[in-house]
Amino acid sequence: MTAMMSITDLYVKFGTPFGSLEAVRGVSLDIPAGSSVGVVGESGSGKTVMCRAAMGLLSGSNVERSGTVTFDGKALTSMSREQVRDEFGTGMAMIFQDPMTALNPVRRIGTQISESLRVRLGMDKKAATARSVELLSFVRIPDPAAMLKKFPYQLSGGMRQRVMIAIAISCNPKLLFADEPTTALDVTVQAQILQLLSDLRRDLKMSMVLITHDLGVVANHTDYVAVMYAGEVVEQAPTSELFANMKMPYTQALLDSIPNIEMKSGARLKVIEGRLPNPVDRPKGCGFVTRCTYAQQKCHDDHPPLVDAGNGHLYRCWYPLGHTIARKQ
Amino acid sequence: MAGSGTAHLRNNDEVVLDVRDLVVEFRVGGGRVVNAVSKISFDVCRGETLAVVGESGCGKTTLGKAVLQLPPPNSGDVIFEGTNLSKLPKEQLRSARTAMQMVFQDPISSLDPRMTVRNLVEEPLWIWGRGNDEERAAKVRELLNNVGLDPELVLDRRSYEFSGGQCQRISIARSLALEPRMLICDEPVSALDVSIQAQILNLLQDMKDRYGLTMIFISHDLAVVKAVSNRIMVMYLGKICEVGEPDKIYTKPAHHYTSALINSVPIPDPTRKRTTVPLQGEPPSPVAPPSGCRFRTRCPAASEKCAAEEPQLREVAPGQFVACHHPRT
Amino acid sequence: MRKRKYTIPTYFAFGWLGLAVFLAIFGSFLPVDGYQVIHGDFIDSPPFTAGHWFGVDSNGYDIFSGIINGARLSIFIAVVTVGLGGAIGSLLGITAAYYRGKYDSVVNMSFNVVLSVPNLVLALALVAVLATNVDINEAVPTWRRLVTLIISLTVVIIPILGRIARAATLAWSGREFVVAARSMGMRDRDIIKRHIVPNVLPALIAVGFLAVGVVIIAEASLSLLGVGIPDGASWGGMLARGRNDLEYNPHALYIPIIALAFTVISTNHVGDVLRGRLDRREGRL
């Protein structure tokens, strides 16, 4: 199966007055065509930076990026800015967490949708308007024709997110990046939007990268998951394999610390003690070492590499779950 | 849905907070009025944690602030430990408030960025002239230790130097300075990272046990609420839908909205696919809520009666009250 | 992030202002003759003449002493005006934004009405009204003209700083720590004193410096027109005095103009730098 996007050995470093901040350290990830890949991590894990870097959206004089990213066979990392920009809309598209800031508040919805149609696909005004109405109905907005004339402030969060999705799919992209698309939304609206994204993906045969911190979202809407911590991928596997067979203690701890609607009420939550390591001054061993319940000396000294457990399951731990040491706990 | 249902009130000696017919309305431009809270009654017993659950716009935050009279509601009575707060003159209200404190959603914005942690936590004591300088300093240290912060490391720093989780701890320490008897937590963990949420929730539980607090916990996250509460009140568009114990409500929700809410929460287990269709549509505007039952526009079981007559809360199972003409069985 | 890179313009601005303030305080002790002294022998001397560093204008007045005296006056007027106008304006603005309601509407509208009149026109009108003497044959005494000038410029500054105070208070009052303070039982006036004012002050200070620039220019313009301080006591007055010198003795005009320009640019720049420094501290998360 050919990968729609292939990220190999991506490093992203920011120069700060405190030193070099390694936001992403050697991430390799393949996004197969037509599949949905989840990237899970907390804030500070580097997941957003990784995706922005992969899309070529990071700019600034203090940003250093290395590694290769290929999209649809083309090497994005060796293209110029203009060429990468051409891929946007038609090849790749992105939707963001806060639709209010992603939409232009002083322009009408209709204008914002048809703008990308006219610029990228060269449609004339009438065709663009017709297509806009069509797109809005794809994203299940009631009365799409009336919606064209509205401004973003008149819409609710869920509606704005749908509009953003409509803009993103307007040029039939092959790959959609969704950066925490539902974090700011209510839970019922979240369910609607996630359902919409799944259906669109199936109908338009799109691949999707879903960035989130919610393991529940990932469990139901992705085929493959990569868990990031402190700038690296610490575990990646097909979704069902990951949940059935967790190897990295961080992943398990993350799952345990999330309040689960199925647990008994009044139960005490298991906590991950401590905080993320300082990104400028990372410990030389495993990044999770100060917070792991059974860290050993080796974890302090040596940085664990990614190990293949078979079944497409990779993990980064000296003593994964299931190991004798872990079982003693 | 209930407006003035009172079937769920307990009217016994253990009731610490008794709220009757609370109405809060905001004027927005053009002579229109937002019905944030429409004639709600509820009570909280000593040592209980009442969770107020609902999505954005349901009025739960307004409810919390109205209990503290910040600002005072348009009408209705708030009786705390026998005293009717709504009828107190300004000066007495000021001192009555010391028994009820609030923890806010945004940990950074709830702390004055120009003040040091020492001043922030000491401020309530200073306002009420409790103890001399030494006693206050000792109390501040004790509070910071209780919330898991090392006084030496935090006393002289300012809020912007800390993470969200730490700010929330400072905020909790501050709210406990006056040894209140009731704590109202308005979405205290919503702005925090997933793995930090568990720490703060456990902390709140510990503080409740240590200080013998009664709590009102406002949240939109059903899973979080289940972990901390003894009693749940579900709100929609300013009205109560359902009241009862968490285990019962979550396994057998009687109200269609409660059921939709529960089904929308993603479960972190890929083997459990949700078969129910997510709730469609958007919440109606609180400026012109639907007649009768406010949920009828999205309810799968709506009938003519729902439009004509507002349902009142009634008991459908021991300890479970619902405001619906056609509750789920 | 503690790196502070001060650029050359910043050093210059601080330096110039420091010099101006120094002259304002200690100028009268410097060993130069007063600005009213006429040096008949040196009329029309160009700059760098011995004993007259900046030259002498066509009337015989020493320009250097004029600059020193002008510094005293301009700084004095600016500080008093901005201080007074700022205090009154912030009082109105902060209380209006904190308490809201009708009081706020009245204050806001008053600010907007006064602001709609161009600074100079307003100042002129006020001076004209306040400075008229009952007996039109008698000249208005200088101290009275000074007071009139200060009052007029204060009125101009009140809404400028008042609006800043009001906007900042609106923003800060909405933050949750104000609600938190109320829930602790803090009195409103204590909340304003301990929470609102310290957070609004940076914005006020930054704009205050800009306002100083506004006042200096306004005062100079009024003096140039002849309704400010008479007899060349201020830089604007020097421009008025030297009006005829443009053709043969231009340094009599250029030098006060340069002094004015440097001072206003410096205050603007210092205000900007301060605003940048104070903003950065708060915005970090």
Side-chain angles (χ1 to χ4, degrees):
Chain A
M1 187 146 64
T2 49
M4 177 56 57
M5 175 175 266
S6 208
I7 302 171
T8 320
D9 238 11
L10 187 65
Y11 272 87
V12 179
K13 284 207 255 276
F14 294 105
T16 70
F18 293 119
S20 183
L21 195 158
E22 289 186 318
V24 181
R25 302 186 285 161
V27 169
S28 297
L29 191 63
D30 280 345
I31 297 152
S35 74
S36 166
V37 173
V39 178
V40 180
E42 308 171 79
S43 55
S45 59
K47 55 190 195 297
T48 301
V49 173
M50 196 258 304
C51 294
R52 303 268 165 111
M55 291 180 81
L57 282 177
L58 283 185
S59 58
S61 52
N62 60 341
V63 179
E64 245 183 78
R65 181 183 74 162
S66 68
T68 37
V69 178
T70 55
F71 172 67
D72 207 11
K74 296 170 253 187
L76 277 185
T77 32
S78 39
M79 287 199 235
S80 69
R81 290 262 293 267
E82 285 71 28
Q83 288 171 315
V84 173
R85 213 171 49 210
D86 284 335
E87 289 298 325
F88 277 109
T90 43
M92 306 185 279
M94 192 158 177
I95 57 179
F96 304 89
Q97 176 176 347
D98 186 356
M100 193 60 213
T101 50
L103 292 174
N104 189 334
V106 296
R107 303 180 76 197
R108 293 181 204 270
I109 303 290
T111 329
Q112 298 196 45
I113 301 181
S114 50
E115 174 183 50
S116 78
L117 290 171
R118 286 158 73 174
V119 166
R120 295 224 165 270
L121 300 181
M123 288 188 177
D124 63 53
K125 194 162 169 195
K126 236 171 125 199
T129 312
R131 176 86 179 133
S132 303
V133 173
E134 201 181 15
L135 285 167
L136 287 176
S137 57
F138 272 170
V139 296
R140 298 177 194 153
I141 286 185
D143 199 358
M147 180 58 78
L148 289 179
K149 295 204 178 46
K150 292 206 174 143
F151 285 97
Y153 73 86
Q154 296 172 288
L155 306 176
S156 69
M159 284 293 165
R160 287 186 214 137
Q161 195 62 288
R162 289 172 199 271
V163 168
M164 196 152 68
I165 295 174
I167 297 176
I169 61 170
S170 59
C171 303
N172 289 324
K174 300 198 195 78
L175 175 61
L176 179 69
F177 277 89
D179 188 355
E180 307 238 33
T182 56
T183 307
L185 302 174
D186 281 326
V187 70
T188 49
V189 180
Q190 173 175 287
Q192 293 175 13
I193 298 289
L194 289 172
Q195 182 75 44
L196 173 66
L197 283 173
S198 292
D199 294 341
L200 282 176
R201 207 169 50 76
R202 203 188 46 229
D203 298 336
L204 302 176
K205 301 199 189 2
M206 220 168 41
S207 314
M208 188 164 80
V209 175
L210 185 58
I211 304 169
T212 177
H213 63 265
D214 189 339
L215 280 172
V217 165
V218 147
N220 296 310
H221 293 93
T222 56
D223 307 312
Y224 196 83
V225 183
V227 179
M228 283 187 72
Y229 184 80
E232 314 178 278
V233 173
V234 294
E235 192 163 5
Q236 60 185 62
T239 310
S240 44
E241 163 72 16
L242 181 82
F243 281 89
N245 242 333
M246 262 178 211
K247 295 249 178 246
M248 215 302 193
Y250 171 63
T251 321
Q252 184 67 52
L254 195 61
L255 188 62
D256 288 340
S257 72
I258 298 174
N260 191 332
I261 202 165
E262 312 252 289
M263 67 169 72
K264 200 100 182 60
S265 68
R268 207 171 161 75
L269 297 164
K270 279 168 73 173
V271 159
I272 308 181
E273 298 293 347
R275 297 170 60 193
L276 278 176
N278 185 346
V280 178
D281 183 21
R282 288 215 175 92
K284 72 180 146 87
C286 172
F288 192 55
V289 71
T290 49
R291 309 168 76 185
C292 187
T293 45
Y294 52 92
Q296 306 291 312
Q297 190 55 42
K298 190 164 183 196
C299 306
H300 283 279
D301 299 328
D302 298 326
H303 187 237
L306 270 179
V307 172
D308 194 337
N311 256 343
H313 192 156
L314 301 168
Y315 64 92
R316 194 189 288 274
C317 181
W318 293 119
Y319 305 102
L321 299 170
H323 194 280
T324 38
I325 293 196
R327 269 202 292 261
K328 283 208 204 108
Q329 303 296 319
Chain B
M1 285 216 243
S4 21
T6 50
H8 60 298
L9 298 175
R10 285 158 292 181
N11 289 324
N12 58 29
D13 285 336
E14 289 298 309
V15 167
V16 159
L17 178 73
D18 196 356
V19 177
R20 300 287 172 127
D21 295 332
L22 197 68
V23 175
V24 184
E25 291 169 350
F26 299 114
R27 232 164 265 301
V28 293
R32 296 177 308 169
V33 169
V34 169
N35 304 297
V37 175
S38 303
K39 242 176 160 209
I40 286 192
S41 305
F42 67 94
D43 59 16
V44 187
C45 288
R46 192 181 314 281
E48 200 177 49
T49 299
L50 172 73
V52 181
V53 178
E55 298 182 295
S56 46
C58 71
K60 55 191 194 298
T61 299
T62 315
L63 185 76
K65 293 200 171 133
V67 167
L68 286 179
Q69 312 282 314
L70 286 171
N74 295 70
S75 74
D77 293 318
V78 176
I79 303 165
F80 179 64
E81 292 184 339
T83 320
N84 191 336
L85 296 177
S86 323
K87 300 211 175 353
L88 277 185
K90 200 163 161 210
E91 269 305 303
Q92 289 185 21
L93 180 60
R94 224 168 52 87
S95 57
R97 280 214 191 101
T98 56
M100 298 190 289
Q101 290 293 290
M102 196 158 177
V103 176
F104 299 89
Q105 176 173 357
D106 184 352
I108 316 257
S109 145
S110 57
L111 302 173
D112 186 334
R114 298 219 165 256
M115 291 175 81
T116 56
V117 170
R118 173 183 284 123
N119 291 336
L120 283 167
V121 179
E122 194 192 15
E123 193 168 35
L125 301 167
W126 173 86
I127 295 174
W128 294 99
R130 303 234 177 133
N132 57 28
D133 284 342
E134 277 170 15
E135 287 164 352
R136 288 206 286 264
K139 180 89 178 156
V140 166
R141 279 175 186 275
E142 180 196 324
L143 287 165
L144 287 172
N145 273 316
N146 284 348
V147 298
L149 290 172
D150 183 350
E152 296 310 316
L153 294 180
V154 306
L155 273 176
D156 289 308
R157 291 160 73 178
R158 295 187 159 76
S159 66
Y160 54 81
E161 299 179 62
F162 296 108
S163 69
Q166 290 171 312
C167 282
Q168 201 61 300
R169 288 176 196 262
I170 297 169
S171 198
I172 293 173
R174 177 178 67 180
S175 64
L176 294 170
L178 292 173
E179 299 193 19
R181 293 188 288 287
M182 188 161 89
L183 199 62
I184 300 181
C185 303
D186 185 6
E187 307 243 31
V189 296
S190 306
L192 303 175
D193 247 352
V194 170
S195 62
I196 309 290
Q197 283 187 12
Q199 294 179 15
I200 301 296
L201 287 173
N202 283 351
L203 174 65
L204 283 171
Q205 197 64 32
D206 289 340
M207 294 297 103
K208 181 182 171 196
D209 293 335
R210 180 192 280 267
Y211 289 90
L213 298 170
T214 307
M215 275 195 351
I216 296 182
F217 194 98
I218 301 171
S219 176
H220 66 273
D221 189 332
L222 287 165
V224 161
V225 146
K226 190 175 194 211
V228 301
S229 57
N230 314 112
R231 200 162 198 247
I232 294 193
M233 186 165 93
V234 180
M235 283 182 70
Y236 183 81
L237 221 57
K239 298 273 189 185
I240 304 179
C241 299
E242 189 162 359
V243 183
E245 277 168 51
D247 288 325
K248 288 211 190 93
I249 290 192
Y250 280 65
T251 45
K252 290 192 69 167
H255 198 286
H256 301 274
Y257 178 59
T258 316
S259 162
L261 267 186
I262 292 172
N263 285 336
S264 307
V265 176
I267 301 183
D269 186 350
T271 56
R272 309 261 309 275
K273 289 267 186 242
R274 289 229 186 267
T275 48
T276 49
V277 175
L279 186 64
Q280 296 304 315
E282 297 261 322
S285 160
V287 173
S291 63
C293 173
R294 292 188 179 182
F295 184 60
R296 65 179 170 80
T297 53
R298 301 163 81 189
C299 183
S303 70
E304 276 170 17
K305 190 178 186 196
C306 304
E309 192 187 315
E310 194 187 307
Q312 303 287 295
L313 280 167
R314 55 199 167 93
E315 194 165 12
V316 291
Q320 190 171 357
F321 302 85
V322 69
C324 183
H325 292 303
H326 315 287
R328 300 176 75 234
T329 43
Chain C
M1 309 260 183
R2 294 278 180 267
K3 261 175 109 148
R4 296 259 184 271
K5 274 212 309 238
Y6 284 132
T7 56
I8 293 179
T10 312
Y11 282 121
F12 176 80
F14 275 103
W16 177 267
L17 281 185
L19 180 64
V21 171
F22 172 77
L23 287 179
I25 301 176
F26 297 111
S28 41
F29 302 119
L30 283 179
V32 286
D33 297 323
Y35 65 97
Q36 299 276 48
V37 175
I38 297 189
H39 304 268
D41 309 333
F42 288 94
I43 285 186
D44 284 345
S45 307
F48 304 118
T49 319
H52 297 278
W53 297 92
F54 285 167
V56 177
D57 75 1
S58 55
N59 293 322
Y61 298 116
D62 178 25
I63 293 180
F64 188 54
S65 31
I67 293 288
I68 293 176
N69 197 61
R72 277 177 61 196
L73 210 56
S74 297
I75 302 275
F76 175 72
I77 293 178
V79 166
V80 170
T81 308
V82 173
L84 205 55
I88 299 176
S90 332
L91 181 67
L92 289 172
I94 292 178
T95 48
Y98 187 80
Y99 291 106
R100 312 294 316 267
K102 280 220 180 76
Y103 172 59
D104 181 33
S105 315
V106 167
V107 167
N108 198 29
M109 193 146 66
S110 322
F111 281 172
N112 287 335
V113 164
V114 177
L115 278 169
S116 66
V117 182
N119 292 344
L120 207 52
V121 172
L122 182 62
L124 264 176
L126 285 166
V127 167
V129 164
L130 294 169
T132 38
N133 230 353
V134 178
D135 183 351
I136 52 172
N137 293 322
E138 227 174 77
V140 183
T142 309
W143 66 266
R144 183 152 168 204
R145 286 178 76 159
L146 186 62
V147 168
T148 305
L149 190 64
I150 289 181
I151 292 179
S152 320
L153 291 175
T154 304
V155 171
V156 170
I157 292 295
I158 286 176
I160 293 179
L161 287 177
R163 214 161 59 157
I164 299 285
R166 180 176 175 272
T169 307
L170 276 178
W172 287 101
S173 298
R175 301 267 293 227
E176 286 183 323
F177 67 81
V178 172
V179 182
R182 278 213 200 94
S183 76
M184 287 187 255
M186 208 171 190
R187 284 198 186 79
D188 281 332
R189 58 171 183 270
D190 288 330
I191 294 181
I192 291 180
K193 230 182 0 165
R194 279 171 65 101
H195 287 290
I196 304 278
V197 169
N199 283 302
V200 164
L201 213 50
L204 281 176
I205 290 176
V207 179
F209 272 91
L210 299 181
V212 164
V214 168
V215 168
I216 290 179
I217 295 286
E219 178 271 314
S221 317
L222 289 176
S223 298
L224 179 60
L225 291 173
V227 293
I229 310 297
D231 299 331
S234 71
W235 290 331
M238 287 174 76
L239 290 177
R241 233 170 26 177
R243 202 174 298 163
N244 304 316
D245 287 340
L246 190 55
E247 213 180 324
Y248 295 109
N249 214 359
H251 63 270
L253 287 175
Y254 291 169
I255 292 182
I257 288 178
I258 290 175
L260 275 168
F262 277 173
T263 310
V264 174
I265 291 176
S266 300
T267 52
N268 277 6
H269 188 75
V270 167
D272 224 14
V273 166
L274 278 179
R275 189 170 45 84
R277 278 184 63 165
L278 293 165
D279 264 350
R280 241 191 296 164
R281 267 193 39 173
E282 202 272 297
R284 308 270 329 274
L285 286 184

